[in-house]
Amino acid sequence: MVEFIGMDAPSTPEKMAKAYSEAKVIIHTANGGKIQRALSYETLFGVKDKVGTNKNPAGQLYSMSMKPLMDPFGKPLIAETPDSNSLLNVNGSLYLVTHYEYDWILSDGSSAEKSDIWHNRAPMSMTLTSIKQDAKNGKLKAVDQYPIDFSKVGGIWIPCAGSQTPWNTHLGSEEDYDLYFTAASGKNYKAAQKGLKAMSELYFEGKKEAKAYDYGYITEVAVNDTSKTTVTKHYAMGRGTWEMAKIMSDEKTAFFGDDGAQVGLYMYIGDKAKDLDNGTLYAAIWSQTNEDGARDGGQAKLSWIKLGHASSEEVSQWKEKLSFNDIFEAYAPAEFDPKKHEGFKAVKAGHSEIEYLKLKPNMERAAAFLETRRYAAYLGATTEFNKMEGVAFNKEDKKLYIAMSYIEKGMAKDTTFAKDDIKVAKNRCGGTYEVALASGIKDSNGELIKSDFVPTRMSVPSALLGEEIATDALGNTCAVDKIANTDNLFYSSRARTLFIGEDSGTHVNNFVWAYNIDTKKLSRILSTPAGAESTGLQVVENMNGFAYIMSNAQHQGDFIKTMDKDLQSKVAPKIDKFQAPVGYIYGIPGL
């Protein structure tokens, strides 16, 4: 058995300003013995660092010709937001794929997203880093690095979390927040156009126009034994604000974290194993089984609507020639007249505003894969989840874990809209849902779903539900000894432990937690710098006799509003906002 001994939350400016671990791990051996090790946080590199032959900082952003981009002050445009990690062993050589999610601050310290003289979005990047492992003590070292080229797939938009495929590749994501909005969405649509303008001018160097349907897909990065990468966007898996996708052990069933408001739960099933380019998309219906306003996060039965079947080749062709107006006729509430506009359906999908939609003739399949969330709502699926983040898989117990960072908005009871599947009490501290998987399940048409991993029930274990509190002395508004705003998830079968990273606006410092699913013990094992989100969570169970928990911190120093101002003034000078770390928790023996 693997047991983690947790650490206290930081309370001094020195500790609040850094990423560190004071936790311990105990390996209980079969003969009754114990192996105890102290844990520490080790940084591989920061986003300002130049690694090996890379002439540019790790977080440098690039155009399609791999020309380093400059910010409006003529300084290197560097992303301070390292996210997903995949440490891969490719024929004995170690490689780390790392996401850079978005551009947070410019070189003068001002907001990149709110700047009047700059774009609200920048073209993003990933790096491939060669890693060496010390054979004696297991410590890792970054020895070389290069940026991954996405020009063959039109660049990449907000790569958030990710996972590792059963066939040893990296599976990334794209969150198309702004790109979801249409002309009827007002200011949100204008933000989308600014983002596309930035992509066209910065990434495509003014030589090509970026389009909304180019982004919002699951992206795979394969690494060969000569350290070369191959990038693929899997259009058949649908388009959304994908936090990440997790593939089950059958190598064909996948589930998505759909980030944002009024989102859905989706399942992709490939036609065959290792096939992410030919398959069927499904969307879930939540049927609540406990009372309205339930404070436990809600309990529900799940059923499934088939959205459609397609190949990536087909979807790629559709995205090139179709726009939203080719697929749907749409009206905002102020423009909709039920007497004049017959055959429309009211939906809330992707945001809390009502849209009146009517599918145009023969657009069912295009809608399923280019407007996945809208089409799911149109067919009656549940699009009321909120801030759905990480996904993890427990093969032995046939369970899925899904992070819901904030349980609010569409998840609360809504008396203003006819469709209201989820009716739970608001909890701004969020929770992690446990989902039972089964075989032999039929969809809403009575057709057998060809997977042994179909979700049927969903609820939150009490230990994984956040707890709201009155603001404490430091500024925390959720209980500091409980998880708040769960985000990254990773399940380790050998440790029988669910690892959880926070992205919290309610904890002054975010943490990584270890939750033993057998003993129900919850242990804090890492603290990130104040204001930083915990990202890049991956557990490598045994790499040549050593285990690792990969972990990054992004947008450090982005303090929450409730943080004590006097304390903030002491912490802020100790944090370099521009030098976000990519690293790992060290000290765990191979499992």
Side-chain angles (χ1 to χ4, degrees):
M1 186 182 82
V2 179
E3 177 186 3
F4 286 90
I5 309 299
M7 55 186 266
D8 293 333
S11 58
T12 66
E14 290 72 23
K15 287 187 174 181
M16 295 177 75
K18 65 180 182 178
Y20 75 100
S21 178
E22 294 177 339
K24 296 180 176 63
V25 65
I26 299 175
I27 311 296
H28 296 265
T29 63
N31 60 5
K34 292 182 181 180
I35 301 171
Q36 181 171 308
R37 296 285 187 270
L39 304 182
S40 63
Y41 181 72
E42 305 293 330
T43 299
L44 286 167
F45 57 89
V47 296
K48 293 193 301 183
D49 294 338
K50 297 178 182 179
V51 180
T53 59
N54 191 356
K55 297 179 180 179
N56 299 302
Q60 174 71 56
L61 302 177
Y62 298 86
S63 70
M64 66 175 183
S65 62
M66 300 308 290
K67 178 182 177 181
L69 295 171
M70 299 293 130
D71 76 1
F73 308 105
K75 303 292 185 181
L77 186 59
I78 297 174
E80 306 80 14
T81 52
D83 206 294
S84 177
N85 288 320
S86 284
L87 181 61
L88 305 172
N89 186 334
V90 181
N91 296 326
S93 297
L94 304 186
Y95 298 100
L96 181 69
V97 177
T98 303
H99 287 191
Y100 300 89
E101 186 181 7
Y102 63 98
D103 185 28
W104 176 43
I105 49 177
L106 300 174
S107 59
D108 70 341
S110 63
S111 170
E113 294 183 286
K114 299 178 181 178
S115 174
D116 293 330
I117 61 172
W118 193 241
H119 308 276
N120 69 324
R121 295 289 181 201
M124 301 314 296
S125 178
M126 298 183 196
T127 52
L128 183 73
T129 306
S130 295
I131 302 292
K132 290 295 183 183
Q133 181 188 44
D134 188 295
K136 293 182 179 179
N137 60 29
K139 286 196 172 183
L140 304 177
K141 182 180 180 181
V143 294
D144 206 357
Q145 183 182 83
Y146 70 84
I148 297 173
D149 184 355
F150 285 87
S151 60
K152 291 183 179 179
V153 294
I156 192 158
W157 185 284
I158 315 181
C160 196
S163 64
Q164 298 75 47
T165 66
W167 50 91
N168 198 39
T169 62
H170 170 76
L171 204 60
S173 62
E174 290 186 307
E175 292 183 328
D176 69 339
Y177 287 120
D178 299 333
L179 303 184
Y180 184 76
F181 295 102
T182 66
S185 305
K187 64 179 182 180
N188 290 314
Y189 179 69
K190 292 179 180 179
Q193 297 312 297
K194 284 182 66 178
L196 289 173
K197 184 173 183 285
M199 206 73 184
S200 300
E201 293 180 356
L202 296 179
Y203 187 73
F204 290 120
E205 303 169 349
K207 299 174 183 177
K208 181 180 177 181
E209 184 177 348
K211 299 180 297 181
Y213 284 172
D214 289 336
Y215 308 102
Y217 303 100
I218 297 300
T219 302
E220 185 176 8
V221 178
V223 185
N224 67 23
D225 53 12
T226 62
S227 79
K228 301 298 182 183
T229 55
T230 302
V231 176
T232 308
K233 283 191 180 181
H234 295 295
Y235 302 112
M237 298 183 80
R239 176 175 171 267
T241 308
W242 303 138
E243 172 81 8
M244 62 166 288
K246 183 66 177 178
I247 299 176
M248 304 296 97
S249 53
D250 64 356
E251 301 187 340
K252 66 176 186 174
T253 305
F255 298 97
F256 305 86
D258 189 13
D259 201 352
Q262 300 284 159
V263 298
L265 174 60
Y266 304 96
M267 173 173 61
Y268 169 84
I269 302 175
D271 291 350
K272 57 186 179 181
K274 301 181 182 181
D275 187 356
L276 303 181
D277 288 313
N278 299 273
T280 305
L281 268 179
Y282 296 85
I285 300 174
W286 165 290
S287 299
Q288 195 159 318
T289 56
N290 58 349
E291 74 279 2
D292 290 1
R295 305 199 66 82
D296 62 356
Q299 301 173 28
K301 292 181 180 179
L302 298 176
S303 53
W304 292 88
I305 293 175
K306 180 180 177 180
L307 301 183
H309 178 280
S311 68
S312 286
E313 183 178 356
E314 288 177 301
V315 181
S316 180
Q317 292 172 358
W318 297 335
K319 81 175 184 65
E320 291 301 317
K321 63 183 180 180
L322 297 177
S323 68
F324 172 79
N325 291 328
D326 294 315
I327 298 172
F328 282 113
E329 188 177 352
Y331 289 96
E335 304 167 331
F336 183 72
D337 185 342
K339 295 180 181 179
K340 295 180 180 179
H341 305 135
E342 296 182 356
F344 283 76
K345 294 181 181 180
V347 304
K348 283 187 179 181
H351 51 93
S352 58
E353 300 299 319
I354 296 172
E355 290 180 305
Y356 291 91
L357 300 178
K358 184 177 181 180
L359 189 69
K360 292 190 175 181
N362 304 315
M363 284 292 143
E364 290 83 1
R365 296 177 69 223
F369 293 89
L370 295 178
E371 291 288 346
T372 303
R373 194 186 300 123
R374 282 188 173 96
Y375 190 57
Y378 192 81
L379 294 184
T382 300
T383 53
E384 298 168 27
F385 297 101
N386 187 69
K387 293 295 293 177
M388 185 187 293
E389 306 276 358
V391 181
F393 174 47
N394 174 350
K395 175 184 176 182
E396 290 74 24
D397 298 324
K398 214 169 183 180
K399 290 180 179 179
L400 202 66
Y401 304 101
I402 299 176
M404 218 70 67
S405 190
Y406 291 80
I407 299 174
E408 58 182 9
K409 297 182 180 179
M411 299 185 73
K413 187 173 177 62
D414 183 2
T415 59
T416 67
F417 194 64
K419 185 173 178 58
D420 188 26
D421 295 343
I422 307 178
K423 300 178 281 287
V424 302
K426 176 183 176 181
N427 185 338
R428 53 186 169 78
C429 306
T432 303
Y433 285 76
E434 185 178 271
V435 182
L437 305 173
S439 56
I441 305 300
K442 295 181 179 180
D443 66 20
S444 57
N445 294 326
E447 299 176 358
L448 183 67
I449 300 174
K450 297 178 181 179
S451 172
D452 293 329
F453 301 96
V454 181
T456 58
R457 298 187 310 278
M458 187 169 179
S459 61
V460 185
S462 58
L464 302 183
L465 189 68
E467 179 185 341
E468 297 182 9
I469 60 170
T471 306
D472 68 13
L474 300 182
N476 297 297
T477 58
C478 288
V480 76
D481 289 329
K482 291 190 175 182
I483 301 167
N485 310 120
T486 175
D487 190 319
N488 279 204
L489 299 178
F490 201 103
Y491 178 73
S492 167
S493 295
R494 298 185 188 183
R496 296 285 290 171
T497 298
L498 178 66
F499 295 89
I500 300 169
E502 296 179 337
D503 177 12
S504 175
T506 58
H507 277 171
V508 172
N509 288 83
N510 281 320
F511 309 118
V512 174
W513 301 83
Y515 173 69
N516 187 292
I517 65 167
D518 297 319
T519 66
K520 313 303 181 187
K521 182 180 179 181
L522 183 66
S523 306
R524 182 189 292 106
I525 61 172
L526 179 72
S527 178
T528 62
E533 173 186 346
S534 168
T535 61
L537 184 61
Q538 178 203 7
V539 180
V540 180
E541 294 177 316
N542 197 323
M543 191 82 79
N544 302 319
F546 300 91
Y548 305 95
I549 302 173
M550 310 307 297
S551 186
N552 307 335
Q554 66 168 236
H555 60 76
Q556 52 190 13
D558 186 14
F559 303 114
I560 64 174
K561 294 178 181 179
T562 54
M563 185 177 176
D564 179 80
K565 300 307 178 191
D566 180 59
L567 179 61
Q568 186 178 127
S569 69
K570 297 175 182 176
V571 174
K574 302 178 187 300
I575 295 177
D576 182 352
K577 292 184 177 182
F578 298 95
Q579 183 67 324
V582 173
Y584 62 100
I585 300 174
Y586 168 75
I588 309 172
L591 303 179

